[in-house]
């Protein structure tokens, strides 16, 4: 497996992972109509727009031995809640979860931030996403604050996990 910074040629694969991951992870947590209406084309526009943001956004992709994108993580610089970096997203195809891919992607984001002089990071997680919460807790994240988000008319609670020193996330 290879972890590397995404290129424009990767956006279709990133969009595929994003939509497929939402449909498997959030089924039962947000309305089915919302999930069923997600499209690869809209997702590709979303990630292209994300990368055109002023907060120095970036995406890392995980590519399997056959050259297929199986996961990705994105980050951006922020100045909120006493954190300088945000792990904006982490998505894996369902069949690739539990294999260490997520840990390697989070490490890539942390290393990228360190190279930019950013040493703290946070991530928002849907509170009902128990596997996501458990993953970030196992990664040493500490719960900080809460907010609400709306998806397809359904309000969900989000939890922010954070790391004041991301050096502990940088694995080789």
């Amino acid at each position: 497996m290879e972890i590397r910074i995404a290129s424009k040629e990767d956006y279709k694969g990133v969009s595929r992972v994003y939509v497929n991951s939402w449909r498997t992870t959030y089924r039962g947590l947000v309305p089915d109509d919302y999930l069923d209406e997600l499209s690869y084309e809209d997702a590709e526009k979303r990630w292209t727009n994300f990368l055109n943001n002023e907060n120095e956004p970036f995406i890392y992709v995980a590519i399997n031995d056959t050259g297929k994108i199986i996961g990705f993580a994105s980050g951006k610089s922020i100045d909120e809640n006493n954190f300088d970096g945000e792990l904006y997203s982490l998505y894996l195809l369902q069949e690739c979860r539990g294999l260490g891919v997520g840990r390697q992607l989070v490490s890539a984001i942390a290393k990228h931030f360190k190279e930019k002089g950013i040493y703290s990071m946070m991530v928002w997680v849907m509170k009902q996403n128990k596997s996501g919460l458990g993953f970030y807790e196992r990664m040493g994240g500490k719960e900080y604050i809460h907010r609400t988000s709306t998806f397809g008319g359904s309000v969900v609670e989000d939890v922010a996990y954070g790391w004041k020193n991301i050096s502990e996330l940088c694995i080789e």
Side-chain angles (χ1 to χ4, degrees):
M1 184 184 61
E2 175 188 7
I3 306 281
R4 64 166 171 75
I5 196 94
S7 68
K8 286 188 182 217
E9 292 75 31
D10 296 323
Y11 293 0
K12 284 193 186 317
V14 164
S15 300
R16 184 183 53 78
V17 169
Y18 173 77
V19 169
N20 294 347
S21 181
W22 261 83
R23 287 180 177 160
T24 57
T25 303
Y26 300 112
R27 186 78 58 193
L29 303 181
V30 300
D32 286 349
D33 290 350
Y34 179 83
L35 297 173
D36 295 339
E37 290 172 8
L38 292 173
S39 75
Y40 299 132
E41 296 78 17
D42 289 345
E44 189 172 351
K45 288 177 194 165
R46 171 195 169 99
W47 290 107
T48 299
N49 290 339
F50 170 79
L51 289 169
N52 291 325
N53 188 299
E54 72 277 356
N55 292 339
E56 300 180 45
F58 56 94
I59 298 174
Y60 277 80
V61 291
I63 301 168
N64 69 10
D65 295 339
T66 65
K68 177 181 173 186
I69 295 175
I70 58 171
F72 74 95
S74 65
K76 64 181 182 175
S77 60
I78 59 169
D79 183 15
E80 61 185 74
N81 306 310
N82 297 314
F83 292 96
D84 299 318
E86 180 180 359
L87 172 60
Y88 182 75
S89 66
L90 174 64
Y91 294 106
L92 302 171
L93 295 178
Q94 187 170 20
E95 63 270 19
C96 301
R97 296 179 191 157
L99 303 175
V101 178
R103 185 174 294 275
Q104 290 181 54
L105 283 165
V106 170
S107 177
I109 298 294
K111 288 176 189 174
H112 186 102
F113 279 143
K114 277 184 67 178
E115 290 170 7
K116 301 288 185 188
I118 294 173
Y119 300 101
S120 65
M121 177 175 81
M122 63 172 285
V123 63
W124 287 104
V125 187
M126 195 180 295
K127 189 172 183 178
Q128 299 95 321
N129 179 2
K130 300 301 183 195
S131 64
L133 297 177
F135 173 78
Y136 293 117
E137 288 170 2
R138 288 189 302 280
M139 294 286 293
K142 304 290 183 238
E143 186 176 324
Y144 281 92
I145 55 175
H146 296 247
R147 71 176 184 193
T148 58
S149 298
T150 303
F151 299 100
S154 181
V155 176
V156 297
E157 189 173 354
D158 297 324
V159 179
Y161 280 83
W163 297 264
K164 290 297 186 180
N165 179 1
I166 60 173
S167 295
E168 63 199 43
L169 296 171
C170 299
I171 57 175
E172 295 304 319

